[in-house]
Amino acid sequence: MEELPMQITIKKMETDDEIRGKAYVHWKSWQEAYPGIVDQQFLDDLTLEKCESIAYRWTDNIIIAKDGDHVVGFTGYGKYRNDDLENTGEVFAIYILAEYYGHGVGYQLMQAALSKLSHYSKVAVWVLKDNERAIRFYERCGYCFDGREETLQLGSPVVEARMILDRPN
């Protein structure tokens, strides 16, 4: 396989083209990462148009990875959504196009999100329990399961588990 010539830039999402690029990565990465994990009908119903609608509604706290002019990954971050953990930030989403797996793009995005969350002593992520690739990635970034799980309805029930990154003071 030919090596991709990459010129990766990590930056805040700002333009309409970047928002549409983020939407494409959201849609395409779900199609690439979740067959066999998420109900196929749910994946079929997750259209590019739905992802564009989401992208235009959620423009804050999004960092993108670009290869030249093309968005190839993104992460969303912020304060932890629930009240059961104090002084905790959250990486809500991190998605990369499959052709960029193994090239450090996810790591660069995670580091950028963590730097924005540096004032939190912990950072949480939720991961589908059957998503072994993502679990290995989070473990390499220092996250550990804390035992909390929830069941989501994504066409059929899937279990997600919480992982926590504890930061030294």
Side-chain angles (χ1 to χ4, degrees):
M1 191 166 137
E2 190 177 319
E3 189 67 24
L4 296 170
M6 286 191 287
Q7 200 81 42
I8 302 299
T9 305
I10 305 294
K11 65 180 293 297
K12 180 180 186 236
M13 184 177 71
E14 298 173 301
T15 69
D16 272 356
D17 282 346
E18 290 171 349
I19 293 170
R20 283 192 299 277
K22 180 252 183 195
Y24 176 79
V25 169
H26 181 183
W27 171 75
K28 183 70 171 171
S29 63
W30 273 63
Q31 307 306 314
E32 293 171 336
Y34 292 143
I37 296 174
V38 171
D39 185 88
Q40 189 58 48
Q41 188 60 52
F42 185 88
L43 293 176
D44 292 346
D45 291 343
L46 181 67
T47 63
L48 180 55
E49 292 73 27
K50 284 183 182 176
C51 290
E52 282 188 2
S53 175
I54 293 166
Y56 275 98
R57 283 195 314 270
W58 181 26
T59 56
D60 294 340
N61 295 351
I62 302 289
I63 298 170
I64 57 171
K66 293 179 82 173
D67 184 1
D69 292 333
H70 302 288
V71 177
V72 300
F74 74 91
T75 186
Y77 62 91
K79 183 182 184 313
Y80 186 64
R81 294 176 259 203
N82 301 335
D83 292 332
D84 64 326
L85 294 176
E86 291 188 24
N87 195 26
T88 302
E90 183 172 357
V91 174
F92 301 118
I94 185 163
Y95 292 107
I96 296 113
L97 297 177
E99 66 191 272
Y100 288 86
Y101 289 173
H103 292 280
V105 177
Y107 182 78
Q108 290 179 63
L109 284 168
M110 179 61 77
Q111 295 310 306
L114 291 175
S115 74
K116 297 288 187 181
L117 298 169
S118 62
H119 53 288
Y120 293 106
S121 61
K122 294 180 185 172
V123 178
V125 297
W126 287 89
V127 61
L128 297 181
K129 280 187 72 173
D130 291 337
N131 190 346
E132 294 174 14
R133 172 181 277 282
I135 291 167
R136 286 191 311 269
F137 170 73
Y138 293 135
E139 287 173 340
R140 284 193 308 271
C141 291
Y143 289 84
C144 297
F145 287 107
D146 75 344
R148 177 84 185 272
E149 294 184 355
E150 293 184 0
T151 299
L152 302 175
Q153 287 296 324
L154 301 179
S156 59
V158 293
V159 176
E160 66 174 355
R162 184 170 67 191
M163 299 180 80
I164 300 290
L165 174 65
D166 277 310
R167 298 168 138 180
N169 291 336

